[in-house]
Amino acid sequence: VFYSLVTMITKIKTIQKLQPLLEILRAAGKKIVFTNGCFDIIHTGHTRYLAIARSFGDILVVAVNSDSSVRTIKGEKRPINSQAERAETLAALESVDYVTIFDEPDPYKVISALLPDVLVKGGDWPIERMYACMTAAAPATTGDATDVPRADAK
């Protein structure tokens, strides 16, 4: 149990600590996949989505909106779960390699900092917005973007 808890906690990194780690992994030939979201009330639709996202590469990085960012996006009564709780829950998933928290309402800044090889978003993001995000945030990369159809829990 202690090992699992330590492993889970070590998956949560600041963007500044994640950057050099991803550079090393990329140099070793690993394909970095990125997704982001609020993940306020995690359900099976999220876990299925993250498992599918992971299949697009070797390392899955999940950027979680901070509490203040969630309030901006979803209103003053949100989030239900704190950013620390959401990050820890995501880190517990086998499909997730790293979790980071960001304050902005959109992922442009974090994508620009981490330069993923693949950007994965849910079906609620139009593919045009995803490509615009990749090129605006990281114009020097040759990354790809894909959407995953909604896998809502029944």
Side-chain angles (χ1 to χ4, degrees), residues 5-6 13-15 18 33 35 38 40 50 53 68 90 106 109 114 121 145:
L5 182 59
V6 170
K13 307 270 187 206
T14 64
I15 293 167
L18 202 48
V33 179
T35 194
C38 296
D40 190 16
L50 293 169
S68 63
L90 289 165
D106 62 56
K109 188 174 175 184
L114 300 181
K121 289 297 294 177

Side-chain angles (χ1 to χ4, degrees), residues 105-108 119 124-135:
D106 62 56
Y108 297 120
L119 169 63
D124 57 335
W125 266 53
I127 196 77
E128 297 81 19
R129 183 174 177 197
M130 291 168 44
Y131 277 112
C133 182
M134 281 293 277
T135 55

Side-chain angles (χ1 to χ4, degrees), residues 27 36 41 49 105 120 136 148:
N36 70 283
I41 303 171
Y49 163 77
V120 178
V148 173

Side-chain angles (χ1 to χ4, degrees), residues 93-151:
L93 299 175
E94 185 178 350
S95 59
V96 176
D97 294 290
Y98 297 104
V99 179
T100 193
I101 298 169
F102 69 105
D103 287 319
E104 299 77 24
D106 62 56
Y108 297 120
K109 188 174 175 184
V110 68
I111 291 170
S112 180
L114 300 181
L115 302 174
D117 299 303
V118 180
L119 169 63
V120 178
K121 289 297 294 177
D124 57 335
W125 266 53
I127 196 77
E128 297 81 19
R129 183 174 177 197
M130 291 168 44
Y131 277 112
C133 182
M134 281 293 277
T135 55
T141 69
T142 57
D144 198 7
T146 190
D147 65 330
V148 173
R150 291 186 66 116

